[in-house]
Amino acid sequence: MAFDDGKEAAFMLVTGIALLLGAAILTPLAVVALRRWLRQRALAEIQPRAVAASAGRPISLAGVAAPGPDGAIESRLAGADCVWHGHEVLRHYWQWRNREDTGERERVRGCDSIADHGSTELFGIAPPAPAARAGIPVLVDPQGARIEDADMCLQRVVGRPQRGVPAPADDLLARVKGRISGVFRGETIEFEYREWVIRPGDPVVVEGQVELRDGHPVLTAPPGGELRIRHIAPEQPQEPPRATDALLLGGGAVASACVGLLLTLAAV
């Protein structure tokens, strides 16, 4: 009987030590998972300190557009309040070409872009939750950025002046930023003005690289790449990071340590 009790005590001791060793292995893994979750949550809340810690590395942030250091700006053509605006001027024209099947000449419609501009003023990206918006937001440098799905706030078509006919009212040409350029082929039909904006509070996703300017994080284009700014629909919420791995590893470490300690103490 005493022999059986000895075997049982030895088994409990070995099992307890094994569980304690398992807890020792799981504990650092749980700490790493916890730190990873805390960092992901801080980035999801767009905390400047957490974003600054990612300096020099690619990053993707989801939040809402906010005015930059100089406040909201005004779009060039429509005069809309925004944090970013871009416009393009298209020239529609007639040109002649030979048909491949018959060789006959036919008149076809063509279109060229003769002006294209995007604003370069810094703007902010703030946390999606209003309660977390405090202090200076993380900034975005949109120079040379690829803008996707911005709202079109203006589209106006202006016919070309006709001889002997007053020119149509066109107060947009003087507002076009930059130089009107391009090869003016064929016969002009009309000019088309289009403008897009991102307004304060619009949900956006910004993908780029973190750069520190005077100690403050700014999202810019990575070397050899481009900054990507996507205007997303309000019904596309970003799923918050989960602490599943940290909880499972931490719970496993605690359970193994407790059971292992109890078995070890019972065995001795």
Side-chain angles (χ1 to χ4, degrees), residues 97-118:
R97 73 176 183 184
N98 294 326
R99 296 186 55 173
E100 295 183 359
D101 52 350
T102 63
E104 296 179 351
R105 285 173 59 80
E106 64 175 351
R107 193 171 70 160
V108 295
R109 189 183 181 103
C111 177
D112 287 334
S113 176
I114 60 174
D116 192 356
H117 171 74

Side-chain angles (χ1 to χ4, degrees), residues 39 43 54-61 206-210 219-220 222-223:
R39 178 178 178 273
L43 289 177
S54 299
R57 299 200 298 268
I59 195 172
S60 176
L61 296 180
V206 182
E207 300 173 7
Q209 180 172 293
V210 179
L219 296 182
T220 64

Side-chain angles (χ1 to χ4, degrees), residues 91-155:
R91 174 180 173 264
H92 299 271
Y93 59 90
W94 292 116
Q95 65 178 345
W96 292 92
R97 73 176 183 184
N98 294 326
R99 296 186 55 173
E100 295 183 359
D101 52 350
T102 63
E104 296 179 351
R105 285 173 59 80
E106 64 175 351
R107 193 171 70 160
V108 295
R109 189 183 181 103
C111 177
D112 287 334
S113 176
I114 60 174
D116 192 356
H117 171 74
S119 63
T120 57
E121 290 88 350
L122 297 180
F123 67 89
I125 177 170
R133 299 172 196 169
I136 302 175
V138 173
L139 298 178
V140 180
D141 185 348
Q143 187 166 1
R146 175 155 59 101
I147 311 293
E148 300 179 8
D149 300 323
D151 284 338
M152 180 180 287
C153 66
L154 179 141
Q155 184 177 24

